[in-house]
Amino acid sequence: MSNVNVKDKDALLRLNYLQQAAHCILAGNPDNTALVRFLLHTQRGISKRLVLRQDPSVKRTVCKKCSSLLVPGITAKVRQRRRMQQVTVVTCLACGMSKRFLRRPDYCLWVDRAEALLPGQKTDQESAETHVDPAVGEPSSGTLGTIEPSSPSVTQ
């Protein structure tokens, strides 16, 4: 893991844990939606209280109305519509709330665009290309030049 200073790192770890726990619980027992809703409602409350932005991929999997995890075929119904634009409609089976997402091949989320980055901030692709695995001493992607491994150090 890189030595990046992240504000509220413990809170981000907790949000990640709650999301993963909700997925595991729903996969193990699809009838246990009350516990899943509680976990995701807690996740939303933490992110609102600490003013943390969640990734759009995370927000797309949670119902805004009832905090249910939207899993196609289990807790959500997914339909492809074509009216004026091609749209994917995800409907929550618990409360009936629906979300609509455009299906354009050239569509890019704002958070993935270059103007969304702060000055001096690297994109995910750039940071992955320059990340060096300390155990191997080489870039993790392997597409860039290689870095010679350092001489083995003696630890006592």
Side-chain angles (χ1 to χ4, degrees), residues 117 121-131 144:
L117 298 176
Q121 186 178 7
K122 293 182 180 179
T123 62
D124 290 339
Q125 184 179 10
E126 290 173 354
S127 61
E129 290 173 349
T130 59
H131 175 70
L144 297 178

Side-chain angles (χ1 to χ4, degrees), residues 39-75:
L39 293 174
L40 294 176
H41 184 72
T42 304
Q43 179 191 27
R44 183 186 305 174
I46 292 169
S47 63
K48 280 186 176 182
R49 186 182 69 221
L50 297 175
V51 192
L52 296 173
R53 293 179 184 253
Q54 292 183 345
D55 191 60
S57 62
V58 172
K59 290 195 290 187
R60 287 182 175 199
T61 61
V62 179
C63 178
K64 282 184 167 183
K65 189 173 180 181
C66 68
S67 297
S68 180
L69 187 64
L70 299 175
V71 178
I74 299 174
T75 58

Side-chain angles (χ1 to χ4, degrees), residues 55-150:
D55 191 60
S57 62
V58 172
K59 290 195 290 187
R60 287 182 175 199
T61 61
V62 179
C63 178
K64 282 184 167 183
K65 189 173 180 181
C66 68
S67 297
S68 180
L69 187 64
L70 299 175
V71 178
I74 299 174
T75 58
K77 177 174 62 172
V78 179
R79 298 287 183 248
Q80 307 294 328
R81 301 287 168 131
R82 183 177 175 138
R83 293 185 181 174
M84 298 178 82
Q85 297 179 1
Q86 292 182 347
V87 176
T88 301
V89 180
V90 180
T91 306
C92 177
L93 295 177
C95 67
M97 177 84 171
S98 63
K99 292 183 171 191
R100 289 173 170 72
F101 304 109
L102 290 178
R103 288 184 299 143
R104 291 188 306 184
D106 59 338
Y107 182 72
C108 181
L109 292 172
W110 186 81
V111 295
D112 296 334
R113 295 183 189 169
E115 64 253 16
L117 298 176
L118 297 172
Q121 186 178 7
K122 293 182 180 179
T123 62
D124 290 339
Q125 184 179 10
E126 290 173 354
S127 61
E129 290 173 349
T130 59
H131 175 70
V132 176
D133 187 7
V136 179
E138 296 179 1
S140 60
S141 65
T143 57
L144 297 178
T146 60
I147 298 173
E148 295 298 321
S150 61

Side-chain angles (χ1 to χ4, degrees), residues 9-45:
K9 185 175 181 179
D10 293 335
L12 292 174
L13 289 174
R14 185 172 181 201
L15 293 176
N16 186 18
Y17 174 77
L18 291 171
Q19 181 78 13
Q20 289 181 10
H23 276 280
C24 289
I25 290 170
L26 194 63
N29 185 6
D31 297 330
N32 201 356
T33 57
L35 180 58
V36 172
R37 285 184 192 172
F38 172 75
L39 293 174
L40 294 176
H41 184 72
T42 304
Q43 179 191 27
R44 183 186 305 174

